[in-house]
């Protein structure tokens, strides 16, 4: 009789322990699921706005050649020299890989260069001031060779990235003003242009500032003429000693600035 009572008490105690264990497991499961829901990662914003400033020049082989009407010998070349340029760019992330990304950028650029005429002895004189307006689109690939994460990857990120891409540009001149040297000495009647286009390579390097959305970086473009697209026609007067020609344009651009990843 005593053994039966003891067995009954042991069974009740075991049943109570099982119930307590089940409650503990349920509470633990609930806490873990809540914990995971609290640390779920937010969505990455794909947009970035960047403002840069730098310098632009033209490929020196594309200068307009003003030849002597008398014998066809070269008299002067007319080209664009280094000019300050400003750039505002909007970027969007298209695809995100482990440690790399594919993005698309579109930007507007403005520069106010001077056009110079250089004779065969290397002497240069300003012949015009103009404004160049540029629209650029770029398909770029960003990566970091040492870290397996991009700059804005979650939950971990790198603090630097290299950028390599293909750029297409359309550009035009606006509000071109001739100098007295152009009109009186060289006999240039007008320097006018329309929209022209170029295609080339884009490269850059960016650094993220700590844990913020701010990025600093450098960017460059090396462009090439497509379809013999020219920037301006340099037209001389009938009384001028020199022939007319056109200036092709394949810009080389280097800029640096700040960007903000929203």
């Amino acid at each position: 009789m005593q053994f039966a009572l003891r067995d009954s008490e042991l069974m009740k105690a075991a049943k109570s322990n099982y119930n307590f264990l089940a409650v503990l497991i349920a509470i633990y499961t609930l806490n873990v699921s809540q914990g995971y829901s609290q640390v779920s990662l937010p969505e990455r914003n794909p947009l970035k706005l960047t403002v840069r400033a730098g310098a632009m020049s033209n490929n020196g082989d594309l200068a307009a050649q003003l030849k002597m009407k008398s014998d066809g010998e070269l008299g002067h070349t007319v080209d664009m020299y280094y000019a300050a340029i400003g750039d505002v760019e909007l970027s969007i992330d298209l695809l995100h890989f482990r440690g790399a990304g594919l993005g698309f950028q579109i930007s507007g650029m403005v520069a106010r260069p001077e056009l110079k005429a250089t004779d065969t002895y290397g002497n240069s004189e300003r012949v015009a001031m103009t404004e160049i307006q540029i629209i650029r689109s770029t398909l770029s690939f960003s990566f970091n060779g040492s870290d397996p994460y991009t700059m804005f990857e979650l939950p971990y990120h790198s603090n630097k990235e290299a950028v390599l891409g293909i750029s297409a540009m359309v550009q035009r001149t606006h509000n071109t003003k001739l100098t007295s040297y152009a009109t009186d000495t060289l006999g240039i009647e007008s320097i006018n242009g329309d929209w022209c286009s170029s295609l080339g390579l884009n490269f850059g390097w960016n650094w993220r500032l700590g844990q913020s959305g701010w990025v600093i970086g450098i960017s460059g473009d090396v462009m090439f003429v497509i379809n013999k697209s020219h920037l301006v026609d340099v037209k001389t007067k009938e009384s001028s000693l020199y022939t007319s020609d056109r200036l092709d344009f394949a810009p080389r651009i280097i800029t640096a600035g700040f960007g903000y990843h929203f």
Side-chain angles (χ1 to χ4, degrees):
M1 187 67 177
Q2 291 179 354
F3 287 111
L5 290 173
R6 187 175 300 170
D7 289 341
S8 177
E9 291 175 358
L10 290 174
M11 290 178 64
K12 287 180 180 179
K15 186 176 180 180
S16 177
N17 289 335
Y18 287 138
N19 290 337
F20 179 74
L21 183 60
V23 171
L24 285 180
I25 292 174
I27 293 173
Y28 176 79
T29 303
L30 182 61
N31 287 336
V32 169
S33 63
Q34 288 179 348
Y36 277 116
S37 65
Q38 290 173 358
V39 297
S40 61
L41 298 176
E43 291 292 328
R44 288 168 13 106
N45 193 309
L47 296 177
K48 183 176 75 172
L49 184 65
T50 303
V51 178
R52 303 188 187 95
M56 176 181 68
S57 67
N58 189 27
N59 184 338
D61 295 334
L62 303 179
Q65 297 187 353
L66 307 186
K67 297 181 179 180
M68 301 291 298
K69 289 180 179 179
S70 58
D71 56 11
E73 293 293 326
L74 180 63
H76 290 77
T77 59
V78 176
D79 200 2
M80 188 200 79
Y81 286 77
Y82 286 99
I85 187 169
D87 177 15
V88 178
E89 176 187 277
L90 180 63
S91 173
I92 183 170
D93 297 334
L94 298 178
L95 294 174
H96 180 230
F97 311 102
R98 184 65 180 271
L102 184 68
F104 177 76
Q105 297 85 37
I106 185 166
S107 62
M109 312 173 80
V110 175
R112 291 183 173 84
E114 60 179 356
L115 300 178
K116 286 187 175 182
T118 304
D119 62 20
T120 54
Y121 299 101
N123 302 311
S124 296
E125 291 286 345
R126 180 191 297 173
V127 294
M129 291 292 296
T130 188
E131 178 180 300
I132 295 182
Q133 301 168 344
I134 300 175
I135 298 174
R136 177 186 62 187
S137 61
T138 304
L139 185 66
S140 65
F141 181 70
S142 59
F143 57 93
N144 190 305
S146 60
D147 294 335
Y149 306 102
T150 61
M151 283 207 302
F152 289 93
E153 187 159 355
L154 300 171
Y156 306 105
H157 67 84
S158 170
N159 281 98
K160 57 187 181 300
E161 67 177 5
V163 179
L164 185 63
I166 298 175
S167 288
M169 292 184 183
V170 290
Q171 51 265 323
R172 72 161 185 166
T173 57
H174 176 68
N175 196 25
T176 303
K177 296 180 179 179
L178 300 179
T179 65
S180 59
Y181 180 83
T183 56
D184 300 340
T185 304
L186 300 183
I188 296 176
E189 183 177 46
S190 64
I191 298 179
N192 292 319
D194 203 348
W195 290 100
C196 67
S197 55
S198 57
L199 187 69
L201 298 177
N202 172 263
F203 57 90
W205 190 269
N206 297 314
W207 294 268
R208 182 175 177 180
L209 300 180
Q211 304 298 318
S212 71
W214 290 97
V215 175
I216 61 172
I218 58 174
S219 178
D221 293 275
V222 178
M223 308 302 292
F224 303 92
V225 175
I226 57 176
N227 296 327
K228 293 297 181 181
S229 181
H230 62 280
L231 182 68
V232 293
D233 290 308
V234 182
K235 186 177 179 180
T236 58
K237 302 175 185 177
E238 203 172 305
S239 58
S240 173
L241 298 176
Y242 306 99
T243 61
S244 302
D245 199 15
R246 64 186 193 183
L247 170 61
D248 291 334
F249 190 55
R252 278 78 171 110
I253 301 174
I254 184 73
T255 57
F258 289 87
Y260 186 77
H261 199 290
F262 295 97

